[in-house]
Amino acid sequence: MHGLVNRAFQCFLSDTFGIALWNAVAADAGLAEALGTDGFEAMSLYDDALTEAMLTAACIRLSRPRESLLEDLGTYLIWNQSLQPLRRLLRFGGRSFTEFLFSLEDLRGRTRLAVAELDLPELELEETGEGLFTLRCRACPPGFGHVMAGVLRALADDYGALVVLDHLGAAPPAPNGAERRLQGRNDEILSIAVHDPDFHAGRRFDLVGSEMA
Amino acid sequence: MDGPPHTLTFRLAPGALGHLMPLYLWLAPDGLIRGAGPSLRKIMGEAAMGMRLDRVFDLRRPRRAESPVELTRAPALRMNLRAPPHTAFRGVAVPLAGAEGVLVNLSFGHAVREAVRDHALSDTDFAATDLAIELLYLAEAKAAVMGELAKTNARLHGAKRNAEELALTDPLTGLRNRRGMDQALSGLLASRSDFALLHLDLDHFKQVNDTLGHAAGDHVLTEFAQILRESVRGGDIVTRVGGDEFILLFPGLIDYGPLQRVAGRILDQLCAPIVFQDQPCAVGSSMGAVLSRNYPAPQADRMLSDSDRALYASKAAGRGRLTLTEACGTLETIAP
């Protein structure tokens, strides 16, 4: 798993639950021996087993189900002040939340354009009715759909849209996922109902951030 | 070829043209601006309509155009707004059928971020086919990634400095180790400044180790290191280069006077035995010194071997002494 993903989870744990909790998780998961005292580096690649060990240790330490912890991670990715660049990058997807949903199909390609080694799952959006969508996360790491649920909830709020989201569970990979099916991963499916795209004002977004000199 | 060539003409309503090319510019045959796409209107201001092209834009390539048709002969156009913020454009011009003038399509090129900021543009100001948004996205992604890399770099730099610090320090006494001494000595030699070098070891240290054990030996070394620290001046450098072997460097010395006083203080301190768990550990120190200014071209190896020779002269003369190496190479042993 890419260091950006691992480091994001590390920052989520230490920012949300304190550095002591992170240190305990790192010790439980045997990360200290593998990584040293700083934990994950953002621009390195790591064995998936390390990510899994961290996630398992965090769930045990916090007595939290995996799904809800991952969804909180997704929310954190959008709302944390130090991760504003990520929120901004996602907001480039479109003017409205609905437009943003359609841009999710470009997310994997856009991400690889920026960081070639960061291989996100393919996302497929299907419009099933007026304001009704299903999002299929193809052959994704287990629980990825819950992270997406957190991200989408936070972004719906960011856009000011009133949205109801459900994680519908995992499904065997759809037929055209041949290449990725080899990894033995399932698809995860979300249902998204956009009840009111302009429910409240949302947060302002300018194409060029205020930090640009 | 089927069909008559050169007869196909497009008729587009200005709104449709603006949708396709929000930064288009329509120039009449006389060089006046007759129309512009919605985004370009926003940038130029309505007052630009009907003005001559070169009143609104500063032409960079081609430098001048007597008539708009000349623009169509250039493979690419470059022009800047005359008014601040002097936004830069690149473009391409094609003649319009029926002597209607020239159509120019403009874009921002690499200056797109500045243009978006200066003119408060949004994605609706760009054609859906324009890659401007992708470029903005990439610029921000790159900044975010570079930010992460910079953080990683800072962390690694800190770790490297810590590791270097550790590698130059003797963990038992906290003094500089052999590497630390080598580094300090080469620094002094490289700066071509005067300095003195005092080489010392402990007399009877082996007996302490053999009779009272290594813990006692370590205690003696630690205490002796403390005596050395307390005996030197602020800028002097104290190092432990081996078991019971120490080297002191005295930057700025041109004679042995101050060094002799330091040696005297060290030997005075050792008159009272170091105590380890109620056991007295009687040790002394033999010393040999060299002065950099006694060498026409001082070198580390030569100075270290000369100071070692002087140290052994002190041992041979009965220990607990200091031997000074004179300019001619002769040794003078004194009991301070």
Side-chain angles (χ1 to χ4, degrees):
Chain A
M1 193 73 73
H2 198 280
L4 280 169
V5 177
N6 287 312
R7 181 130 192 113
F9 197 77
Q10 174 180 340
C11 291
F12 161 64
L13 289 177
S14 54
D15 286 355
T16 314
F17 306 105
I19 189 76
L21 181 276
W22 162 249
N23 286 334
V25 167
D28 293 353
L31 299 180
E33 300 89 82
L35 308 174
T37 49
D38 288 329
F40 293 100
E41 293 295 349
M43 286 299 141
S44 300
L45 294 172
Y46 297 95
D47 195 317
D48 283 356
L50 285 178
T51 312
E52 187 54 43
M54 166 172 63
L55 188 50
T56 306
C59 290
I60 293 170
R61 278 274 165 187
L62 294 166
S63 312
R64 290 271 305 272
R66 189 185 174 100
E67 296 73 28
S68 84
L69 201 58
L70 287 174
E71 182 161 337
D72 282 0
L73 166 67
T75 311
Y76 166 86
L77 291 178
I78 302 308
W79 281 110
N80 190 270
Q81 206 50 39
S82 63
L83 287 160
Q84 282 306 287
L86 181 64
R87 167 194 165 255
R88 285 189 49 82
L89 287 173
L90 288 166
R91 286 280 308 246
F92 271 98
R95 271 158 276 170
S96 68
F97 184 71
T98 309
E99 233 182 274
F100 160 78
L101 284 179
F102 282 107
S103 80
L104 285 174
E105 298 203 336
D106 290 335
L107 187 62
R108 179 164 182 248
R110 276 193 165 170
T111 305
R112 292 182 70 160
L113 208 55
V115 184
E117 302 81 17
L118 180 51
D119 191 12
L120 292 185
E122 245 171 85
L123 301 174
E124 273 177 18
L125 189 80
E126 196 186 337
E127 195 166 10
T128 52
E130 181 67 32
L132 298 176
F133 303 88
T134 58
L135 182 72
R136 185 178 272 263
C137 313
R138 290 194 153 278
C140 60
F144 180 85
H146 294 283
V147 181
M148 277 312 292
V151 166
L152 294 178
R153 270 191 228 285
L155 268 173
D157 205 41
D158 209 74
Y159 275 101
L162 179 62
V163 169
V164 175
L165 265 164
D166 275 308
H167 191 292
L168 302 181
N176 58 345
E179 169 219 342
R180 312 193 113 219
R181 197 166 38 201
L182 295 174
Q183 301 170 358
R185 287 173 169 178
N186 282 325
D187 293 354
E188 288 185 30
I189 297 161
L190 304 182
S191 78
I192 305 158
V194 182
H195 291 296
D196 183 355
D198 301 308
F199 183 62
H200 63 90
R203 275 160 97 192
R204 188 187 159 88
F205 175 71
D206 298 315
L207 280 179
V208 174
S210 53
E211 81 293 340
M212 185 184 164
Chain B
M1 194 179 284
D2 294 335
H6 307 304
T7 57
L8 181 66
T9 52
F10 288 103
R11 289 179 177 278
L12 286 174
L17 187 60
H19 192 52
L20 204 57
M21 301 190 296
L23 292 173
Y24 83 81
L25 191 63
W26 175 22
L27 297 174
D30 55 6
L32 299 184
I33 297 174
R34 279 184 68 180
S39 305
L40 193 59
R41 271 174 190 260
K42 185 168 156 182
I43 292 167
M44 295 189 306
E46 289 300 325
M49 307 310 286
M51 286 172 71
R52 280 181 57 89
L53 175 71
D54 56 8
R55 296 288 302 281
V56 181
F57 289 97
D58 179 18
L59 276 180
R60 298 292 172 94
R61 203 162 79 199
R63 279 279 168 198
R64 58 175 69 244
E66 297 304 329
S67 78
V69 181
E70 287 178 34
L71 295 177
T72 66
R73 299 192 191 116
L77 309 178
R78 283 177 190 275
M79 52 177 86
N80 291 39
L81 268 192
R82 281 204 180 275
H86 311 294
T87 304
F89 293 91
R90 55 182 61 176
V92 60
V94 291
L96 289 172
E100 290 286 358
V102 163
L103 182 67
V104 184
N105 193 20
L106 296 175
S107 87
F108 298 112
H110 58 77
V112 62
R113 292 198 83 195
E114 289 78 2
V116 166
R117 178 200 53 196
D118 293 344
H119 302 289
L121 302 180
S122 75
D123 53 353
T124 50
D125 292 314
F126 293 95
T129 49
D130 196 321
L131 293 178
I133 301 297
E134 308 297 327
L135 204 61
L136 297 178
Y137 177 89
L138 265 185
E140 270 198 50
K142 189 205 75 175
V145 168
M146 294 300 274
E148 281 304 322
L149 278 180
K151 280 187 221 158
T152 303
N153 257 348
R155 263 200 307 278
L156 290 182
H157 190 67
K160 178 167 170 276
R161 277 184 49 182
N162 279 344
E164 277 175 358
E165 187 67 31
L166 283 176
L168 295 173
T169 304
D170 165 36
L172 177 66
T173 60
L175 299 177
R176 286 168 183 249
N177 61 13
R178 176 96 214 180
R179 255 191 81 211
M181 190 281 294
D182 284 341
Q183 203 182 69
L185 180 55
S186 8
L188 285 169
L189 289 167
S191 71
R192 297 175 185 278
S193 51
D194 292 305
F195 65 95
L197 184 157
L198 179 64
H199 204 146
L200 338 74
D201 75 5
L202 284 171
D203 301 327
H204 314 298
F205 179 68
K206 192 172 180 314
Q207 284 95 308
V208 172
N209 251 343
D210 290 350
T211 58
L212 298 171
H214 287 292
D218 284 354
H219 178 70
V220 167
L221 291 170
T222 313
E223 290 292 306
F224 185 58
Q226 191 53 32
I227 290 172
L228 295 180
R229 275 196 203 96
E230 286 167 0
S231 305
V232 298
R233 308 164 305 164
D236 299 335
I237 297 158
V238 183
T239 72
R240 177 181 174 221
V241 293
D244 63 328
E245 201 183 347
F246 297 79
I247 285 177
L248 273 54
L249 298 169
F250 301 84
L253 288 204
I254 55 171
D255 63 55
Y256 284 122
L259 180 146
Q260 280 177 270
R261 288 193 286 280
V262 169
R265 282 201 288 274
I266 295 169
L267 291 171
D268 278 348
Q269 291 279 313
L270 290 177
C271 286
I274 295 166
V275 177
F276 178 68
Q277 292 178 350
D278 299 325
Q279 294 280 332
C281 311
V283 291
S285 181
S286 296
M287 313 175 183
V290 291
L291 263 184
S292 65
R293 67 156 37 194
N294 285 346
Y295 298 84
Q299 286 178 327
D301 288 354
R302 179 73 197 281
M303 291 183 74
L304 288 171
S305 67
D306 284 353
S307 65
D308 200 40
R309 205 159 56 93
L311 165 61
Y312 276 89
S314 291
K315 285 225 180 285
R319 298 194 172 94
R321 280 144 231 271
L322 166 66
T323 298
L324 307 174
T325 312
E326 296 304 342
C328 49
T330 59
L331 301 176
E332 187 200 358
T333 301
I334 43 181

